[in-house]
Amino acid sequence: MIIRTPRSLLHFLIDSVLTALAWFAFLYLLANGVVSIVKGDRQGTEEISTLRHLLPSLGTLLVYFLVAVCIALVLYAWAKYNAKRFGGLDRRASPPALSREDLAASFGISVEQLDQLRRSYVSVIHHAPDGHIVGIETRVS
C-alpha cells in the first residue's frame, strides 16, 4: 500500500534527494564491506578463509530473515482473521437517504418550508436562542 499525502514540489524534491543520498551511502558502505571481506583486508588478524569469516554475517542475516518471515505470517494470519470476521460487512457504506418528511422533521420545519428552501437562491434562517428555527426568509430569483 502506498500512502500519498498532498505536499509541495519542494518537499517532494527534498524527500527524493535525501532518500537517494541515503540509498547511495548504504550501497557504498555495503559494497566496501563486502569487497574488504572478499579481499581479506583485516588488520591485525591472521588469515582466515572467506567462508569462515562470512558465517557470522550469514547467521545474522538468517535471523533477520526468520524474524521477517514470522512478522509476515502474523500479518497474514491477522488479515485472514479480519477477512473471515468482517468479510461481508461494508463499514464505509453511506447511510440511507432521508425522506423529505424525515429531513424536515430533523430541522423542525414543515415539508413546504423545506421545498421552499430547496427552490430558493438566497435564504435567511432565523434561530431562537436554543437553536431551533423560528423563521425562514427566501428569495427565489
Side-chain angles (χ1 to χ4, degrees):
M1 172 177 17
I2 297 175
I3 299 173
R4 296 177 186 258
T5 57
R7 57 184 174 172
S8 68
L9 180 61
L10 178 64
H11 287 133
F12 174 76
L13 289 175
I14 290 172
D15 286 346
S16 299
V17 167
L18 289 176
T19 302
L21 286 174
W23 274 108
F24 177 75
F26 170 73
L27 293 175
Y28 173 77
L29 292 173
L30 180 69
N32 268 351
V34 170
V35 167
S36 68
I37 288 172
V38 170
K39 278 185 174 180
D41 292 342
R42 291 177 291 278
Q43 298 175 355
T45 62
E46 60 196 43
E47 204 51 43
I48 304 174
S49 72
T50 303
L51 180 61
R52 189 169 166 197
H53 189 69
L54 286 176
L55 283 179
S57 298
L58 292 177
T60 303
L61 290 176
L62 180 63
V63 170
Y64 289 163
F65 178 75
L66 291 175
V67 168
V69 167
C70 289
I71 291 172
L73 289 174
V74 168
L75 288 175
Y76 181 76
W78 182 253
K80 285 297 184 183
Y81 166 75
N82 281 324
K84 185 173 177 87
R85 183 170 180 208
F86 302 112
L89 301 178
D90 189 9
R91 294 177 287 157
R92 293 177 184 88
S94 59
L98 287 175
S99 67
R100 290 175 45 217
E101 293 79 15
D102 291 337
L103 183 60
S106 71
F107 286 112
I109 60 176
S110 68
V111 176
E112 292 78 22
Q113 287 175 316
L114 178 65
D115 291 336
Q116 182 183 9
L117 283 170
R118 285 182 169 170
R119 285 191 307 269
S120 69
Y121 290 105
V122 178
S123 301
V124 178
I125 301 174
H126 301 279
H127 295 274
D130 63 355
H132 290 93
I133 296 175
V134 293
I136 298 175
E137 298 174 25
T138 59
R139 194 174 332 154
V140 176
S141 58

